[in-house]
Amino acid sequence: MGASTAAVAAEPKESPSQGGPWQAMARSDIQFIVEWAKKQHILAVYPDPARFDALLKTAQARAASDIPRIQSYSGYRHALNHFVSTFEDEHVYLSLNLVQKNLQWPGFLSIYVGGQYRTVAGNGTVADGLVISACDGKPLNAWVDELAPYEASLPKLESTRWNLASSIFRDVQSPFFKRPSSCTIDGKDVKLQWTPIDGTVFAQKRAALMGDAELIDRIEPFGKDGAWIMLQNIMPHTPAEVDALRSVIAQLPSLRSKKIIVVDERNNHGGPYEWFMAFLRGLYGAPYTDYYARARLRISAVYRATPEILEAFGGPPETFKPEPITMPPDGTTFDPDNRLLAGAVARHESVLRSSANKENIAKPASAPPSLVHAKVVVLTGYACGSACIGLVDEMKLIPGVTQAGVETFIDSRTGTPLGADLPSGNGKVSVPVMTRDGRQRGDNEPNVPDVVYHGNIEDTEAVKAWVRKTFEEAR
């Protein structure tokens, strides 16, 4: 999401004479991003280069307007985010190494719950759980929409409101976003008392509200005769993570006769499709899965072909090293040893097209009977992103599956980001090198639940109680 990662402290307050270096770094970094995007971004060459070029010019015009106002790191960060947000693509993002050390806050944070903003994690300034309806006479949604482009987020999305709820009450002294002076809290006008807070402490308080993906997947008993599957990591990197995911998949056939199965994806950040398809085949069996779960099979991938992309993917065939972790098969892997990509690069071709996967995974002639007798609920949160959304796409094609919880995060048809160091040394920029022709779900379109949860989606015990009442007890 373009979030900064802590490495080196940066102070927000600087005199106008010190603005020069930050402005110079912004100019240099933005020009580098422009050139990197032209050289690596798939949309720069396919399907409409003229449209992409116009988008780049719009982004550059934004930057030209913003840069003269930069006087500190906060202005630099917001200007770069504002530039990147022009692409409206979460696969174009910054990973900055700097974290702002000195901030101010009004003594509380905010969390977005059930369409409302509520006070939380305060220092006693106000009680927790109170509704914040407006600040300076402006609804909180309008504040988030104004801030979103400077935090590399898209406005008017549920996930953005959840992600940026506390950022309204984090004053970084940005030249682009003025902090509120008073808010309507619990129906009363409250003048905000802004006081210093260490940036790391603020980040820790905010992180405690947001939840995070659990790296070790597992299955837990649920209710009278149910199973709760923590499927929040489909990108395993360690032997323990691989073993945990394979163990979950191996246990799935034993769950088919349960009364209810909950697939908890609230904080699943995505991973290779092969893993989630192995999960579905383990639960439903291959014939049933291959008959219904075919959303990804409509997709034909189109890759940018450049030497840098070839190197990032593992090099030409003679130097290719397979991934240390073997993934379950899902059809025939496209260009597994980079032979086709290397050929395209050698011929100076700009793109490499795959065929749709439908030729590789045959659809049964008729619908097989379902092996699953349980009620299946896929539980989503605002942080369900990338391939997590793709898994929801597939699951919602399977009869009887209900999506519950809140809206997912969003993604676009582009993907496979390729990163490069910024010339300032402040971090990296990444751009997508492929796009998915034929994907049915639109760009930046979340998966919306069939049954909405109006509480705190990160409160697991409360969510479980709601699921029992809504689904298990209703049967």
Side-chain angles (χ1 to χ4, degrees):
M1 287 187 244
S4 299
T5 55
V8 182
E11 297 295 336
K13 288 187 177 180
E14 299 181 9
S15 67
S17 63
Q18 291 176 300
W22 289 113
Q23 291 181 16
M25 282 191 286
R27 288 191 182 93
S28 176
D29 286 347
I30 286 171
Q31 184 57 40
F32 176 82
I33 296 170
V34 169
E35 297 305 319
W36 186 248
K38 288 179 178 178
K39 193 173 182 180
Q40 310 297 344
H41 200 304
I42 180 61
L43 300 186
V45 293
Y46 179 91
D48 189 349
R51 183 177 182 276
F52 186 79
D53 187 61
L55 191 65
L56 268 182
K57 287 183 170 58
T58 298
Q60 288 174 286
R62 273 190 181 185
S65 176
D66 288 345
I67 287 174
R69 300 172 64 183
I70 298 173
Q71 298 295 329
S72 65
Y73 169 66
S74 62
Y76 161 87
R77 183 177 70 86
H78 271 179
L80 260 65
N81 280 340
H82 197 208
F83 171 84
V84 165
S85 70
T86 312
F87 296 92
E88 296 187 349
D89 185 349
E90 292 295 332
H91 293 109
V92 181
Y93 60 87
L94 299 165
S95 303
L96 298 179
N97 299 326
L98 305 177
V99 62
Q100 189 163 324
K101 191 68 175 173
N102 296 330
L103 310 176
Q104 289 197 334
W105 75 321
F108 62 88
L109 283 72
S110 174
I111 189 169
Y112 183 75
V113 176
Q116 296 179 320
Y117 298 84
R118 293 183 176 270
T119 57
V120 71
N123 61 4
T125 303
V126 297
D128 282 357
L130 303 180
V131 174
I132 313 169
S133 55
C135 289
D136 294 348
K138 186 165 61 177
L140 267 290
N141 282 347
W143 281 93
V144 170
D145 289 346
E146 180 183 331
L147 178 60
Y150 297 101
E151 294 293 341
S153 298
L154 289 173
K156 302 185 185 303
L157 290 171
E158 291 282 299
S159 56
T160 299
R161 292 166 182 171
W162 171 76
N163 191 45
L164 296 184
S166 286
S167 297
I168 301 169
F169 302 104
R170 178 188 65 183
D171 181 20
V172 297
Q173 299 186 13
S174 167
F176 306 109
F177 185 78
K178 182 181 178 182
R179 71 189 188 188
S181 59
S182 65
C183 294
T184 304
I185 303 176
D186 198 29
K188 302 172 185 176
D189 188 58
V190 177
K191 184 174 178 60
L192 302 185
Q193 302 296 323
W194 292 87
T195 57
I197 185 172
D198 182 272
T200 302
V201 173
F202 187 95
Q204 290 170 344
K205 288 178 176 290
R206 179 182 177 275
L209 304 177
M210 307 300 288
D212 201 4
E214 296 193 25
L215 296 181
I216 302 300
D217 297 311
R218 64 186 185 277
I219 299 175
E220 301 172 346
F222 177 65
K224 295 178 181 178
D225 184 25
W228 190 282
I229 305 173
M230 296 296 292
L231 189 68
Q232 300 199 48
N233 180 18
I234 53 173
M235 189 182 290
H237 293 293
T238 68
E241 293 168 15
V242 173
D243 289 346
L245 183 48
R246 289 194 182 279
S247 176
V248 166
I249 293 171
Q251 295 176 65
L252 293 175
S254 68
L255 308 180
R256 292 168 178 168
S257 295
K258 296 285 187 183
K259 289 184 178 179
I260 185 170
I261 298 171
V262 181
V263 183
D264 185 348
E265 286 202 282
R266 287 173 297 165
N267 292 295
N268 188 323
H269 301 156
Y273 283 20
E274 285 84 354
W275 281 112
F276 75 61
M277 290 310 302
F279 174 86
L280 291 181
R281 291 191 177 98
L283 181 58
Y284 288 97
Y288 194 82
T289 299
D290 293 344
Y291 185 86
Y292 287 107
R294 304 186 69 82
R296 75 206 179 288
L297 304 186
R298 299 171 178 170
I299 295 170
S300 296
V302 182
Y303 293 88
R304 187 80 186 263
T306 71
E308 293 82 5
I309 294 169
L310 176 61
E311 181 180 1
F313 282 6
E318 60 272 16
T319 63
F320 177 78
K321 294 181 181 179
E323 290 288 338
I325 295 173
T326 302
M327 293 184 295
D330 182 42
T332 302
T333 302
F334 176 70
D335 199 13
D337 60 359
N338 293 341
R339 193 170 301 276
L340 298 178
L341 178 59
V345 170
R347 294 188 297 271
H348 303 289
E349 295 174 355
S350 60
V351 298
L352 173 66
R353 292 175 175 83
S354 74
S355 60
N357 220 12
K358 61 188 177 184
E359 291 88 2
N360 303 320
I361 301 178
K363 183 177 181 178
S366 59
S370 177
L371 302 175
V372 176
H373 305 292
K375 171 64 181 176
V376 178
V377 176
V378 56
L379 181 68
T380 57
Y382 296 124
C384 171
S386 192
C388 177
I389 314 176
L391 173 53
V392 179
D393 285 340
E394 300 289 11
M395 291 194 73
K396 292 182 82 168
L397 295 175
I398 297 174
V401 172
T402 299
Q403 182 189 351
V406 298
E407 287 186 7
T408 64
F409 190 53
I410 46 90
D411 67 348
S412 62
R413 290 181 175 86
T414 61
T416 312
L418 180 67
D421 292 328
L422 296 170
S424 66
N426 293 336
K428 289 179 175 287
V429 62
S430 296
V431 301
V433 303
M434 63 87 72
T435 190
R436 301 172 180 89
D437 282 356
R439 195 182 82 171
Q440 297 301 294
R441 182 167 44 82
D443 290 336
N444 301 321
E445 180 182 328
N447 258 317
V448 179
D450 305 299
V451 184
V452 178
Y453 179 57
H454 296 289
N456 181 358
I457 194 63
E458 295 302 327
D459 185 340
T460 298
E461 292 307 310
V463 170
K464 285 185 174 181
W466 173 75
V467 171
R468 279 193 294 268
K469 182 177 180 180
T470 304
F471 297 100
E472 187 184 41
E473 296 175 7
R475 287 173 64 88

